[in-house]
Amino acid sequence: LLLEKKWIKEYPLAGVWLILPPFTALIRAIESLVIDRIAKPMNFKEVLFPRLIPLEVEYRKGHIAIANEIWWVCRPKSRDPAFFEDVVDYAIITGTVPREKLMEKLEPPSCGLSYAQCEPFYQIFFKEVVDLDEEPIKFFDRFGPTWRYEAGGLKGIERLTEFYRIEFAWLSSPEKVIEIRDEILKRAEKILDKIFDVEYYVEATTPVYLEHAGMVEEKESKMEYVKTYDLVVKLPFQTKSRPEKILEIASFNVHEDFYAKRFYFKEKRNRPVWTGCVGIGPSRWAYIFIVRWGLDFDEWPKEIRKYIGEKLPKSPKLVTW
């Protein structure tokens, strides 16, 4: 239906879509709603996190254990145009790019494209000393896309290679980190319940940051709490990407001192310093929204329509499409 209505268009890369004006307007409206209902009232400050993640940051984050899911970035061996002349000539003559010849011109990977968005947050504190007498450090980022190599898991628009997320990341004492995570979850649930009007549940699950690092959860803990919650929406049909009639739309994480140890930051009085993160994807939230509300703008909740205006923007009319 989105293709038929010209809200999206296919793109020559698996798991990446051209998002056209109507669907873009919905995604941006959901993004604004999340910022107004979660980020602003909780005093999260907006930042711009880099999307190129150096190998040493990938390692400290634990992402080398999921190297099979990262899009890796290679720099050219030279900026001299003459160095690429044979590649350019071949492309001009044949109308195709000589991939193997191009590979010969590239250095080994120096970075990965951002998989989780929060990687740079921990790098801020690399070998630094923090002060827990100050207010919790709370940032959110919506700078650009997140990339994951899903391969065979790519289906429709619910599971993508390139997608958009709002990433919340924070640092504080253990008690406050848990409190902040739980407050974000409560506010996200309220949006789903009161505005989206979808059926959902909250599921305690294996901490994703430990899975990414190839580690298992330690059972012993002095505090009674759940490290990771998934927010799962029930769907009226089975999606193409999984057998159940459900879709996970957000993950809410408490890391304890996992990243404090890996990025070597401490507190001025050697008190425990913890971090947490939450990723909310407006593009996936837009998916469940249209499953519930359809494509008729006039039928949408006023809380979403107010961010868009009197009507949805239209896609261009083409003779052949």
Side-chain angles (χ1 to χ4, degrees):
L1 279 173
L2 290 174
L3 284 167
E4 182 182 310
K5 297 288 187 181
K6 299 179 173 58
W7 284 29
I8 60 174
K9 197 174 193 300
E10 287 152 331
Y11 191 69
L13 183 62
V16 181
W17 293 84
L18 287 162
I19 309 298
L20 297 174
F23 202 41
T24 298
L26 174 58
I27 290 172
R28 291 302 190 201
I30 292 171
E31 178 183 280
S32 297
L33 178 70
V34 169
I35 290 170
D36 284 350
R37 298 295 180 99
I38 299 177
K40 288 181 178 179
M42 293 189 67
N43 201 30
F44 275 83
K45 305 302 182 185
E46 185 169 9
V47 293
L48 301 176
F49 284 151
R51 290 300 189 266
L52 289 175
I53 312 301
L55 293 185
E56 58 269 24
V57 178
E58 293 279 20
Y59 171 73
R60 286 193 288 270
K61 181 66 169 64
H63 282 173
I64 298 301
I66 53 166
N68 57 307
E69 296 184 19
I70 304 290
W71 285 85
W72 299 103
V73 179
C74 302
R75 290 182 296 208
K77 289 180 179 178
S78 171
R79 277 186 53 83
D80 182 359
F83 184 65
F84 284 89
E85 199 170 89
D86 55 340
V87 173
V88 174
D89 290 344
Y90 187 98
I92 291 173
I93 293 169
T94 67
T96 61
V97 178
R99 296 170 186 257
E100 292 184 4
K101 189 175 289 293
L102 182 59
M103 280 295 295
E104 296 171 2
K105 309 286 186 180
L106 304 179
E107 292 183 355
S110 59
C111 298
L113 292 179
S114 181
Y115 181 96
Q117 272 178 252
C118 59
E119 300 98 335
F121 177 76
Y122 316 106
Q123 185 63 25
I124 294 171
F125 311 106
F126 179 58
K127 293 186 177 179
E128 301 286 1
V129 177
V130 301
D131 184 358
L132 292 184
D133 291 333
E134 299 293 326
E135 290 295 312
I137 298 171
K138 299 190 289 187
F139 292 156
F140 78 93
D141 166 77
R142 51 170 172 167
F143 181 44
T146 300
W147 290 272
R148 297 181 184 179
Y149 182 58
E150 295 280 5
L154 295 171
K155 303 290 181 182
I157 62 166
E158 75 263 16
R159 194 171 297 279
L160 302 170
T161 291
E162 179 182 85
F163 52 97
Y164 298 89
R165 296 164 72 243
I166 304 170
E167 185 76 9
F168 296 86
W170 61 96
L171 177 152
S172 191
S173 65
E175 294 79 12
K176 287 183 179 178
V177 164
I178 297 170
E179 179 184 318
I180 291 166
R181 189 275 307 274
D182 292 348
E183 177 68 15
I184 297 174
L185 174 58
K186 182 177 75 174
R187 289 176 175 271
E189 285 188 77
K190 191 172 182 179
I191 292 173
L192 293 182
D193 183 33
K194 302 299 184 183
I195 300 175
F196 279 44
D197 188 32
V198 294
E199 192 174 354
Y200 71 91
Y201 60 90
V202 177
E203 180 179 43
T205 186
T206 303
V208 68
Y209 61 92
L210 292 178
E211 285 186 325
H212 290 169
M215 301 173 67
V216 295
E217 184 174 7
E218 295 180 4
K219 297 299 181 184
E220 294 184 5
S221 177
K222 295 180 181 179
M223 301 175 67
E224 290 294 330
Y225 77 101
V226 173
K227 288 183 180 178
T228 296
Y229 289 115
D230 278 349
L231 196 52
V232 184
V233 171
K234 295 183 179 182
L235 300 176
F237 54 81
Q238 179 180 316
T239 68
K240 290 179 178 293
S241 63
R242 59 178 304 156
E244 302 92 342
K245 295 181 179 181
I246 58 172
L247 191 64
E248 300 95 343
I249 65 164
S251 179
F252 303 77
N253 301 282
V254 169
H255 311 132
E256 296 190 347
D257 60 356
F258 182 78
Y259 291 122
K261 290 177 179 177
R262 295 182 75 96
F263 285 81
Y264 310 111
F265 53 87
K266 297 181 179 180
E267 203 275 334
K268 68 175 184 178
R269 296 181 186 172
N270 286 321
R271 290 174 288 187
V273 54
W274 285 16
T275 60
C277 74
V278 169
I280 291 179
S283 49
R284 187 169 282 194
W285 283 45
Y287 175 85
I288 62 148
F289 180 87
I290 59 172
V291 166
R292 166 64 181 86
W293 291 97
L295 304 183
D296 185 348
F297 177 71
D298 293 332
E299 297 296 322
W300 291 359
K302 63 181 185 300
E303 291 89 348
I304 292 293
R305 286 188 283 119
K306 74 176 184 179
Y307 289 107
I308 297 172
E310 293 184 2
K311 58 183 179 180
L312 278 174
K314 294 182 178 181
S315 293
K317 289 185 177 181
L318 305 180
V319 174
T320 52
W321 178 65

